[in-house]
Amino acid sequence: MFRKSILAPLILIVLGVLFLLSNLGLLPHLGPIFAKWWPLILVAVGVSLLLRRL
């Protein structure tokens, strides 16, 4: 149970760090990548939530 409760915050932290590094110029610009793939991210989150309930 503890593992599931910590997964979402860790994902948000990792995404925040990636966008911060992108803004600092240490990674390629992530905006176009995110703009193109956001529907897949939503589908993955939905599937994850669905599987968690099964």
Side-chain angles (χ1 to χ4, degrees), residues 13 18-19 22 26-29 31 33 35 43 50 52-53:
I13 291 169
L18 287 175
F19 279 110
S22 176
L26 300 173
L27 286 178
H29 188 60
I33 296 169
V43 169
L50 180 63
R52 190 179 305 172
R53 293 186 185 265

Side-chain angles (χ1 to χ4, degrees), residues 29-43:
H29 188 60
L30 297 175
I33 296 169
F34 183 73
K36 182 176 183 178
W37 292 102
W38 71 267
L40 181 61
I41 294 168
L42 288 178
V43 169

